[in-house]
Amino acid sequence: MHTEQSGARRRASTAAFAGSVLEYYDFSLYASAAATVFPRVFFPGASPFLATMQSVATFAVAFLVRPIGGSILGSIGDRFGRRRVLVFTLLLMGFATVCIGLVPGHGTIGWLAPVLLVVLRILQGIGASGEFGGATLVAVEFAPDRRRGLLGSLPAAGASFGGMLGTLALLAASSATTGEQFFAWGWRIPFLLSAVLVAYGLWVRLRLPETPSFREADQEGRTARTPIRHILRHQARSVLAIIAIVTAQTGFGYFYLVFVVSYAGTHVGFSRTETFTGLLVAQISCGLLIPVFGWLSDVVGRRPVITFGMVASGVLAFPFFVLLQPDWPFGLWLAMFLGNGVAASAIVAPAGTLVTELFSTQYRYSGMGLAREFGNMLGAACIPLLAVQLAGVDGETTALSVMLVVLALVGLTGVAITRAGHDTTSQPRTPSRDRSALPSAER
């Protein structure tokens, strides 16, 4: 029996990790391409500032549909099971990414090119809205109580390694082609290679059993018919807290992974290779440190680790830009390591597990989908666009630093309004109902 449970746990961890690798391989590709390729391929003729704004806007549009997608897919996952939703999200994300690699540029089909790009980006957003939350649920619901932080951090680590693979693929395509070849067809190859990851991820997920928590709830007839309604009526405080935390978490993450990539080349003058190397430093360090912070959250609690990440992000807001000096790529790499690799990792590692522990089994997927994706919309969609506007044409950084400080305060507010004294690592779970995950009103 123990061997069977261990095997299921390994398959769950692999499925969670593999799906996140695919999701963020796709997202990293799009983020990097939006900053370096799409302005020229899909928005030619515009000024560099306007082309960057338009390109980053296509990146942001996916996040605008994510609260809707997260709510719908989360409700389906709470009613019919996690596994079915995760197979669907994997296929949808992979399909959209491969198709992006096939969309002709503006020079071939005119205005239809950016329209198709936006449509496919929206499909990516719908797929992603149910992917990360579902993967985290699978990892946490299979995990033993004392390892929920560590195993729940695996999807976030997978996201970093997926981003690293995406950046490596784009960097390899850039290095193997001339400038004209890269913009003509070289950038498309990494998008088409997404099909390989989809095939592997699908093989893993089709072998995944349903989680023990959902099976138990289903057998006892405790699956909710209207989970979103329940959450909005009885757990609005938890929803607001999660929105604030995730707004800061994703705001910091995509500030580094989208805006800084564009800013480093446009305003500071780093080459494409130097910029992509900085992105790799951020992603590799993040992937390695996330499990460390996840493990630490099992020892000291989720909230202290997240608080450290928020404070570190705020403290780094002004020194970050001091490190970005022309002809000194090491400064860029160090800044990306500290900002994304250390500070952002400390936020994202325990955040997914914290969110799952705020909701009981029958509402958990819906709660994560609704709250997390609203935070994604505010942080990941708005912060890179706001940063581009604040930097403007001259690249002034004071307003950008202030924005990062405000973002850290928003995240700290979210941590503060989670239930006072709620130590998710020290409360036992009643096997029949996960009572440590329930708000006081439901106990």
Side-chain angles (χ1 to χ4, degrees):
M1 183 68 176
H2 177 72
T3 302
E4 181 180 342
Q5 290 178 340
S6 298
R9 189 174 298 143
R10 284 194 298 271
R11 289 197 299 273
S13 299
T14 302
F17 184 84
S20 293
V21 168
L22 171 65
E23 177 190 352
Y24 283 89
Y25 172 85
D26 296 346
F27 260 56
S28 173
L29 276 181
Y30 198 102
S32 300
T36 58
V37 177
F38 291 169
R40 178 168 169 177
V41 175
F42 293 102
F43 305 99
S47 67
F49 173 76
L50 182 58
T52 301
M53 278 293 295
Q54 291 171 327
S55 185
V56 173
T58 67
F59 172 82
V61 71
F63 292 96
L64 301 181
V65 301
R66 284 180 69 157
I68 300 173
S71 299
I72 294 173
L73 293 174
S75 295
I76 294 172
D78 280 332
R79 293 189 62 185
F80 303 107
R82 286 54 163 131
R83 178 176 172 273
R84 296 180 183 181
V85 176
L86 288 178
V87 170
F88 170 77
T89 58
L90 186 80
L91 290 173
L92 183 60
M93 174 67 79
F95 168 79
T97 302
V98 171
C99 287
I100 288 172
L102 299 173
V103 174
H106 187 279
T108 303
I109 59 174
W111 60 268
L112 188 59
V115 170
L116 289 175
L117 186 66
V118 169
V119 170
L120 293 171
R121 180 62 179 160
I122 289 173
L123 292 180
Q124 273 194 330
I126 295 172
S129 67
E131 169 60 43
F132 186 87
T136 303
L137 286 187
V138 166
V140 171
E141 289 183 349
F142 271 103
D145 290 357
R146 296 299 177 181
R147 298 180 65 194
R148 283 184 288 173
L150 172 60
L151 297 182
S153 72
L154 290 182
S160 294
F161 283 113
M164 178 192 69
L165 289 177
T167 302
L168 279 173
L170 206 59
L171 181 60
S174 174
S175 301
T177 58
T178 65
E180 287 301 319
Q181 289 173 335
F182 178 71
F183 285 104
W185 52 267
W187 66 271
R188 299 179 183 276
I189 296 175
F191 283 86
L192 300 178
L193 288 176
S194 177
V196 177
L197 291 176
V198 171
Y200 173 72
L202 188 62
W203 176 74
V204 170
R205 287 196 170 169
L206 288 175
R207 299 172 62 242
L208 179 70
E210 191 51 77
T211 69
S213 298
F214 179 82
R215 286 203 310 269
E216 183 178 333
D218 189 38
Q219 291 168 0
E220 296 178 359
R222 292 190 289 107
T223 54
R225 296 183 64 86
T226 56
I228 293 294
R229 179 185 300 178
H230 171 92
I231 289 165
L232 293 177
R233 289 182 61 184
H234 299 289
Q235 294 190 254
R237 180 176 177 177
S238 293
V239 169
L240 291 175
I242 295 165
I243 289 174
I245 291 170
V246 176
T247 295
Q249 171 203 317
T250 58
F252 284 123
Y254 285 100
F255 173 82
Y256 298 124
L257 299 180
V258 179
F259 169 75
V260 173
V261 171
S262 174
Y263 179 88
T266 304
H267 294 287
V268 185
F270 291 116
S271 69
R272 194 162 61 236
T273 298
E274 291 169 339
T275 302
F276 282 159
T277 301
L279 197 54
L280 281 174
V281 168
Q283 291 161 336
I284 293 172
S285 57
C286 201
L288 294 175
L289 288 176
I290 280 175
V292 175
F293 285 118
W295 166 81
L296 186 61
S297 77
D298 284 327
V299 177
V300 302
R302 323 292 180 221
R303 294 168 74 239
V305 178
I306 295 174
T307 298
F308 164 77
M310 296 292 183
V311 172
S313 297
V315 169
L316 188 62
F318 286 91
F320 181 87
F321 292 100
V322 175
L323 292 171
L324 304 186
Q325 300 295 329
D327 301 320
W328 192 44
F330 178 79
L332 169 65
W333 303 338
L334 177 61
M336 293 293 270
F337 168 75
L338 294 174
N340 196 71
V342 177
S345 293
I347 301 171
V348 70
T353 303
L354 174 65
V355 172
T356 67
E357 292 171 330
L358 292 177
F359 300 103
S360 56
T361 300
Q362 58 266 49
Y363 312 112
R364 190 170 287 158
Y365 208 152
S366 301
M368 175 171 275
L370 175 68
R372 185 180 183 276
E373 298 311 330
F374 261 107
N376 257 315
M377 180 181 70
L378 295 174
C382 297
I383 294 302
L385 282 173
L386 178 60
V388 171
Q389 291 179 320
L390 292 176
V393 177
D394 59 359
E396 172 58 39
T397 63
T398 301
L400 292 170
S401 298
V402 172
M403 179 194 73
L404 294 178
V405 171
V406 171
L407 200 58
L409 294 175
V410 169
L412 288 171
T413 301
V415 174
I417 63 177
T418 56
R419 188 165 65 251
H422 178 70
D423 183 357
T424 59
T425 66
S426 63
Q427 298 182 28
R429 269 193 311 189
T430 301
S432 62
R433 202 177 168 194
D434 293 348
R435 295 181 66 85
S436 68
L438 294 173
S440 57
E442 295 185 77
R443 294 188 180 185

